[in-house]
Amino acid sequence: MKSPIPDYLRVVLENARPVESGEPASYIDVLANADTSKMAVALATVDGHLYSAGDDQVEFSIQSISKAFVYALAIQDAGLPRVLEKIGVEPSGDAFNKLSLERVTNRPMNPMINAGAIAAHSLVVGPDATAEQRVERILAKLSKLAGRQLHVDEAVYEAEFRDANRNMGIGYMLKAAGIISCDPREAVRGYVRQCAINVNVRDLAMMAATLGNAGVHPISGEEIIPHHSVRQVLSVMTTCGMYDAAGDWVSNVGIPAKSGVAGGIIGALPGQVGLAVFSPKLDARGTSVRGVIMCEQLSRDMGLHMM
Ligand code: DON
């Protein structure tokens, strides 16, 4: 029997298309020149069905969505106690690139803001690893989650690294505070490369569905993310994944999520689905405008809200 879900996803897409507000990220040309007519949505169930509509083959850089998975890797490689020693779990209520650390512990507030994400990146593999070794491990993990080999978009990487002054400032601040032990330039270089990995919405929906399936890939059946770290990752996504928009998101959509400045958003509902949307125009907080509208409709129609 033909599934009605792809037709439904097309409706969700077309409902959001007329909304013209927002602008693509402007801090590098490659993102500023993104084709803003592109839009896609994908939904993967925890029992291994994947549906999509729109420009579902169009690739874009994963950006901050990578932070959720790199946090999981940091927990896997360094252990949760060490990760908690270095990175907090409290929502900051601030923008993603704020230069701030907790007062008493010196830790970044959480792993979803850049400071926490750079610290998490530095914990992947081990303290003596190079940026290449870390990125290789991250790329292998994300590829397994996507079910295909992913690649770094070198144009995005080079443009971001050329102009990484703010993240570099965060890197040096983390080093001075004793949060990272490696060379801050290397930590930031690896972090920028991790953000420049290209994905499409189908890749992201499978990644999200693996989180929703307690770390077990819905198609391959392989445990890719250990169960205990999935709980940690989804908790932090719920409270911090949408930065200073977390409250609006939890009220209106109500599922653990993570956004990226290239226009992607993922949502993962335990025991049910992983979803992914893409549209490059962002609101003032750096979240895809049409992406949020699509997620709100999916949540409403499918009863995905946790409450
Ligand atoms: O660190 C940065 O500025 C970017 N490479 C990633 C930021 C990002 O995706 C923020 N999320 N909406």
Side-chain angles (χ1 to χ4, degrees):
M1 196 184 74
K2 191 175 160 284
S3 167
I5 297 177
D7 288 340
Y8 164 66
L9 292 180
R10 272 188 285 279
V11 171
V12 170
L13 198 81
E14 294 314 322
N15 283 348
R17 198 184 295 280
V19 178
E20 291 286 353
S21 55
E23 292 299 330
S26 59
Y27 67 99
I28 52 170
D29 281 353
V30 227
L31 293 182
N33 298 332
D35 182 348
T36 56
S37 70
K38 300 293 183 210
M39 274 184 84
V41 53
L43 191 142
T45 60
V46 294
D47 61 355
H49 296 282
L50 174 61
Y51 308 95
S52 57
D55 302 298
D56 55 4
Q57 302 299 322
V58 167
E59 294 196 349
F60 51 93
S61 45
I62 188 166
Q63 297 291 351
S64 287
I65 298 169
S66 65
K67 293 170 178 173
F69 301 98
V70 172
Y71 185 51
L73 261 178
I75 295 169
Q76 197 174 347
D77 291 356
L80 185 57
R82 174 120 184 106
V83 170
L84 291 175
E85 214 176 275
K86 300 289 181 189
I87 310 163
V89 290
E90 296 301 335
S92 69
D94 283 327
F96 64 90
N97 57 3
K98 184 92 192 237
L99 279 102
S100 61
L101 297 177
E102 282 177 353
R103 268 209 209 117
V104 177
T105 63
N106 267 345
R107 299 177 307 178
M109 297 281 280
N110 67 68
M112 301 293 142
I113 55 169
N114 289 9
I118 293 167
H121 175 91
S122 81
L123 292 169
V124 171
V125 183
D128 302 324
T130 62
E132 274 67 31
Q133 288 167 324
R134 291 200 183 97
V135 174
E136 204 178 298
R137 173 135 172 79
I138 293 164
L139 201 46
K141 186 66 100 178
L142 293 184
S143 298
K144 247 187 184 180
L145 288 162
R148 69 181 186 111
Q149 184 60 51
L150 302 176
H151 301 279
V152 171
D153 184 325
E154 296 296 340
V156 171
Y157 163 68
E158 273 165 32
E160 293 226 12
F161 193 60
R162 215 177 299 128
D163 195 24
N165 297 321
R166 197 171 176 91
N167 280 330
M168 215 49 100
I170 292 174
Y172 280 103
M173 180 184 74
L174 292 169
K175 178 77 176 182
I179 297 294
I180 62 172
S181 54
C182 64
D183 175 356
R185 274 191 76 80
E186 280 300 282
V188 173
R189 197 162 68 79
Y191 163 77
V192 170
R193 274 190 88 70
Q194 135 197 342
C195 288
I197 293 170
N198 266 351
V199 287
N200 61 40
V201 281
R202 293 174 69 86
D203 300 327
L204 288 179
M206 285 316 303
M207 294 179 184
T210 305
L211 285 175
N213 199 32
V216 176
H217 194 278
I219 293 175
S220 72
E222 190 185 341
E223 185 184 84
I224 303 183
I225 306 172
H227 185 199
H228 72 278
S229 54
V230 171
R231 198 176 82 164
Q232 183 73 14
V233 172
L234 289 176
S235 304
V236 174
M237 281 168 69
T238 306
T239 50
C240 315
M242 304 303 277
Y243 315 115
D244 42 342
D248 277 341
W249 177 272
V250 173
S251 322
N252 297 333
V253 184
I255 64 175
K258 188 71 210 81
S259 58
V261 280
I265 306 176
I266 61 165
L269 189 62
Q272 295 197 38
V273 293
L275 51 94
V277 291
F278 167 64
S279 170
K281 283 189 177 178
L282 310 178
D283 62 20
R285 289 143 152 182
T287 314
S288 170
V289 175
R290 289 171 175 166
V292 171
I293 293 171
M294 289 192 273
C295 290
E296 285 175 350
Q297 182 170 0
L298 288 166
S299 173
R300 226 173 19 244
D301 293 349
M302 297 174 66
L304 300 179
H305 201 295
M306 291 182 284
M307 313 306 171

